Every structure is written in C-alpha cells, then in structure tokens.
Amino acid sequence: MKINVEQGFKTLVQEVENILLPVEGKVPEWLSGTLIRNGPAKFEVGKEKYNHLFDGLAMLYKFSFRNGKISYTNRFLKGHTFKSIIETGRIVYPEFATIPKSSLPHRIFLNATRHFTDNASVNVTKIGESYIAMTETPPRVEFDPDSLRTLGRFHYGDQVTGHLTTAHPQFDYDKKELINYITRFSLTSSYNIYSIKQGTTKRQIISSIPVKQPAYMHSFGMTKNYVILTEFPLFIDPFRLLLTGSPFVDNLFWKPEYGTTFLIIDKNSGKLVGNFKCEPFFAFHHINCFEDMGNVIVDIVSYKDSSIIKSMYLNKLRQGDLLLPTPEIRRYYLELGSNKVTTHILSKDFIEFPRINYRKCNTKNYNYVYGVSAHKSNGFSNKLVKFCIKSKSYKYWYKENNFPGEPVFVPMPGACGEDEGVILSLVIDTINCNSYLLILDATSFSEIARAYLPFAIPFGSHSQYFE
Ligand SMILES: [Fe+2]
C-alpha cells in the first residue's frame, strides 16, 4: 500500500523562537512545564544526501505550557557535525547509514581516533544541571532549555570511554541515579553499565561484561535490582567497521542461530546473575521490566528479525513504501536461579514508541501502555493507542491522513490513578501540510486540545517532559 506522508521525511529549515501557538480546545491549567522533542530535520547537504531516517541532522522542538497557553521554539542542534557541514558544504562525519565522500584513510582516521558524529538526534535528558541531546555515538551535546541554543559538547566528570551507547538512559528513583551503558570495542569488547548520581556528572561503572561479539541494542531494561541487557543476535563487526570505513549499518550482521540472550546484572553487586537464551528477535524499545515472585518480567516491542532497520531508508519511505515490519508486544518471564524463559504475546495490536507512567510505574507492575499503532493494520503508524494490560482492552485516537508521533504521558499533580494526566503527541496533518500538538485526556483517551504549528515537522524520535 502506498501512503503519502511526504512531509514526514522532508527537510525543515525554518527555526522560530518563542511564538504563541493558536489553540483549539482547552489546555489544562495545571499543565505547567516543557516538552522537548528531538528528531532529524535536514536530510541533505548541498547535493549530498543522507540515506536513512536515522541520519538526518538533529532539530530540537520545545513546547512550553503555562496558564493554558503554549509557546513554541525550534532550533537545529549546532554541534561539531552541524558546524562542519556549514563550513564545508559537505557531509563530514559518518552517520548510521551514510558515509562522507572523503577518502577511505580519512574515514578510518575518524573511526580510529573516535571522532564520532555528535548529530544527537534521538532523545534528550538532564545530567547534573545540564540538558543534553543524545544519539548512539558517545558525544552528548548540551543545550539551553529556554532558547534551545546549543551550548557545546557535554563533558562527563570522568574518563570513561567507549564506542557505542544508547539514547535511552533509565532513571532509578530509589537511588536517584541515571543508568546507562556504553559498549567498548576491542579484541574482547565489553558492555559497561554505569550510574550517575542525580545532580552530578560522573559515571560510576557498575559492571563490565566482556563480550566476543557486541550486539546492537537501542535500549535496555531495568527492574528495582537489575539491569537487563537484551542482546539480540544483531552483531557488530567492529574491526570491519574500523577498517572499511563503511556505514555503521553495513557492519551489523543478523545471526539468528545465536538466539536472543537476556543478561541480568545485579545493580548493587555488578554481578551477572542471569543469562537466558530464547528464540531470536530484535527490538528497539523495552516497555517496562519488573520483578515478581523470583521472575524478572520483560515487556518489549519484539520484531521477528532486524529487517525493520533496512525498511527505514529515506528513498524507500519517500516513495510511499511504508509497509514496515510489524512487531509483537511480548512479555518474557525469566526465572532467576534457572535458565528458564517463557513468553507470550501481551497485546494483539502492535505498539511502537511505547510510553508508560514512568515516574509511578517504571520497574513496577503496571497497567497502561501508550504508543503508536496502525489503523487497519496497514503497517505504518497512523493512530495512537492506550492498552490496558489487565483488561486487554484498547482505546484509540485516529484521524485519517493524520500521523501522530510518540505519545508522552504527563501525570496530573497529585494524581492517584496510573492514567490520570494527559498525553502529548506531535501530529502531521498531510492534507493541510502542517503539524499540531495534540493533547488527549489520558484516562478517556479523548482529545481535549490541539495547538497548531505554522509548518509541518518531520517525523521525530523521542520527547521528554520537564516540570
Ligand atoms: Fe528509541
């Protein structure tokens, strides 16, 4: 099926600062904070083109809520990568699926000396007092949360190094620390799990797990006591990557014969306490993980293989070839003390860009998942879904020719119920060629307001709400 969502993959050049958005409906007065979204927004440099949706140059978008009004700013993230293309008019740094047209020795030099791209287009978070944009290469870029102006490269207060990380850190509310991991390529590579105490910038290594073939993992799971690395059989060949100077994606190899492995790491001792093998699958996003009666439960958006990655080349998407592989929402039970894994399908509908009431429910048993899904199963996300795990029931928001992005749950102050709050999602309207911020009542999943933007915004990655 051909679907025209051209605007979603088109370069946006306009930057605007602090404009008041026209609103239809009523924005809740209690909503007082800022939604910051990240995503690729420039897909060519002169005559040179980026190949993949993950390659485009990062743009930050800010929606500020105050007294029922919404103000809006968007600005390119101007790190080294952005500055280099302005200075040279060419692509200088390798991205996920695009390499610069420079010589092979130059590309090998960039990799060997860890001159990674800082095109941090995937997500945002706060470390210490700094707001930072993140991608899967190690450099983080700091920005001003008011103006969205780029402040420069973010420096951790330590000497930890590595080659590949995630833009999906987790936050441990008990210990008040941020958790993430970084993979270091070597003859024996390693996954290095670290924590950063709230208010500080120093990474403390919790555990270093040696690994023969490092896997590509976009996110990881966490429970009260454990970090879960879900090691898909999509392995990186670091030496091939280094020596051929080829795009990162061309050095990922799907080896289903290895199956998928859940590595369970104790957050306190740093010990590997579980190593569970199951059938091969691939995922970008963990939904939530928690412990229950000696089991570690992992809810995850599971694809039967890694072909989803190759389905996101821009030339394919722009031709309207949007029949992407659809994932299953699976729950895995990992029985600690044994190697037993059982699994079942949690949701009959697919859900991507899964979000939960993170503050209240992350690492705990929970009931509601929000995400994007596909109307009439046409394979491309065009509706929002709220899934109730207990009752196996669904609520939807759908409007023809409108394409919503990741739904972010914001709890109402003093809320008791898990779903008391609102959902914020940026939607592309392909008929009117613009975007709007949609606000849904999270309980009823009905629309309560929308705020219109002056132009269409390309499909983005992830957003975070800051009080
Ligand atoms: Fe992601």
Side-chain angles (χ1 to χ4, degrees):
M1 182 187 288
K2 298 275 179 192
I3 309 168
N4 182 9
V5 220
E6 204 190 328
Q7 289 95 342
F9 311 110
K10 228 181 189 175
T11 287
L12 169 68
V13 289
Q14 270 174 282
E15 295 177 305
V16 299
E17 187 163 6
N18 211 21
I19 59 168
L20 207 56
L21 298 181
V23 171
E24 198 177 285
K26 192 163 164 43
V27 180
E29 295 277 336
W30 61 260
L31 193 60
S32 179
T34 302
L35 180 77
I36 300 180
R37 177 189 190 260
N38 200 345
K42 184 171 168 60
F43 301 101
E44 58 281 306
V45 179
K47 286 186 179 157
E48 296 179 6
K49 290 181 176 13
Y50 287 110
N51 296 324
H52 196 277
L53 189 58
F54 294 175
D55 292 341
L57 294 167
M59 176 86 89
L60 297 172
Y61 309 83
K62 186 187 88 157
F63 299 86
S64 290
F65 306 89
R66 192 178 290 263
N67 301 325
K69 296 194 172 5
I70 305 175
S71 59
Y72 169 78
T73 298
N74 70 306
R75 216 180 268 285
F76 277 109
L77 185 74
K78 294 170 184 160
H80 291 177
T81 299
F82 190 91
K83 285 179 184 161
S84 71
I85 67 134
I86 297 297
E87 280 162 18
T88 64
R90 309 191 63 173
I91 294 171
V92 176
Y93 287 91
E95 299 294 342
F96 186 79
T98 303
I99 49 169
K101 290 190 166 56
S102 57
S103 66
L104 178 62
H106 180 251
R107 296 200 307 268
I108 292 174
F109 168 78
L110 288 177
N111 277 336
T113 54
R114 292 207 283 263
H115 279 76
F116 301 116
T117 179
D118 65 358
N119 178 31
S121 63
V122 183
N123 206 349
V124 293
T125 193
K126 194 178 173 193
I127 296 181
E129 293 308 310
S130 302
Y131 288 79
I132 61 167
M134 301 176 287
T135 182
E136 293 174 334
T137 57
R140 293 349 198 165
V141 181
E142 188 175 354
F143 61 91
D144 179 281
D146 295 320
S147 65
L148 295 185
R149 281 181 207 284
T150 302
L151 299 177
R153 189 68 64 85
F154 173 77
H155 296 287
Y156 291 99
D158 59 64
Q159 301 301 318
V160 174
T161 58
H163 298 83
L164 184 69
T165 183
T166 88
H168 284 282
Q170 298 257 13
F171 196 79
D172 183 329
Y173 289 99
D174 294 337
K175 294 183 169 178
K176 296 194 170 34
E177 52 191 33
L178 183 124
I179 310 273
N180 203 346
Y181 83 93
I182 186 164
T183 303
R184 193 174 159 78
F185 298 149
S186 186
L187 278 175
T188 301
S189 298
S190 55
Y191 303 133
N192 300 283
I193 299 149
Y194 63 81
S195 63
I196 303 175
K197 278 269 171 236
Q198 190 173 33
T200 75
T201 60
K202 188 176 177 183
R203 289 171 289 188
Q204 305 272 6
I205 299 292
I206 297 172
S207 183
S208 185
I209 311 280
V211 55
K212 275 191 190 153
Q213 301 186 92
Y216 172 67
M217 298 177 278
H218 178 80
S219 67
F220 63 95
M222 188 174 80
T223 66
K224 183 176 169 53
N225 293 300
Y226 307 110
V227 164
I228 299 122
L229 296 184
T230 310
E231 197 183 38
F232 315 107
L234 182 63
F235 297 112
I236 304 154
D237 185 335
F239 295 103
R240 191 179 181 279
L241 174 69
L242 179 69
L243 297 173
T244 63
S246 52
F248 179 81
V249 68
D250 292 351
N251 295 283
L252 297 177
F253 297 94
W254 180 248
K255 299 180 183 176
E257 65 275 18
Y258 285 89
T260 288
T261 307
F262 294 98
L263 300 172
I264 315 291
I265 299 107
D266 187 312
K267 279 194 278 185
N268 295 307
S269 69
K271 285 190 179 146
L272 182 67
V273 295
N275 186 322
F276 296 83
K277 272 222 178 294
C278 65
E279 76 287 351
F281 73 91
F282 174 75
F284 288 115
H285 298 120
H286 292 71
I287 302 170
N288 196 6
C289 301
F290 56 96
E291 295 161 36
D292 182 50
M293 317 254 294
N295 287 318
V296 167
I297 294 175
V298 179
D299 292 348
I300 193 163
V301 180
S302 160
Y303 294 85
K304 72 176 179 9
D305 57 33
S306 62
S307 56
I308 180 72
I309 294 175
K310 297 233 161 146
S311 68
M312 287 190 282
Y313 276 89
L314 287 161
N315 57 1
K316 190 173 172 294
L317 296 171
R318 285 181 180 134
Q319 283 163 14
D321 185 358
L322 301 176
L323 269 177
L324 308 185
T326 50
E328 288 175 342
I329 306 307
R330 284 198 162 267
R331 173 164 284 185
Y332 287 86
Y333 296 85
L334 315 176
E335 216 175 89
L336 288 174
S338 78
N339 290 324
K340 199 176 160 203
V341 184
T342 51
T343 181
H344 66 83
I345 291 176
L346 194 63
S347 158
K348 67 177 173 52
D349 276 16
F350 93 69
I351 300 169
E352 246 302 4
F353 285 98
R355 298 297 292 247
I356 60 171
N357 183 338
Y358 191 87
R359 178 67 188 87
K360 189 180 175 76
C361 300
N362 197 46
T363 75
K364 299 184 177 81
N365 200 349
Y366 68 116
N367 203 21
Y368 298 109
V369 186
Y370 310 93
V372 297
S373 190
H375 185 64
K376 293 185 181 168
S377 300
N378 67 2
F380 192 74
S381 303
N382 60 359
K383 71 177 177 185
L384 293 172
V385 59
K386 174 187 179 184
F387 172 51
C388 174
I389 295 173
K390 213 175 280 172
S391 67
K392 300 281 180 217
S393 61
Y394 298 85
K395 288 190 165 80
Y396 301 109
W397 179 91
Y398 170 75
K399 192 169 188 297
E400 202 173 347
N401 299 312
N402 285 224
F403 294 83
E406 178 186 50
V408 177
F409 174 81
V410 182
M412 191 187 288
C416 296
E418 185 185 321
D419 60 346
E420 274 180 61
V422 293
I423 292 293
L424 306 175
S425 170
L426 193 60
V427 183
I428 301 178
D429 176 343
T430 59
I431 300 298
N432 294 308
C433 297
N434 72 349
S435 292
Y436 57 89
L437 183 76
L438 177 72
I439 306 179
L440 303 180
D441 177 293
T443 309
S444 65
F445 223 54
S446 55
E447 184 172 336
I448 51 178
R450 58 172 74 179
Y452 291 99
L453 286 139
F455 39 72
I457 292 179
F459 286 116
S461 313
H462 296 287
S463 308
Q464 301 301 332
Y465 183 82
F466 299 93
E467 294 289 343

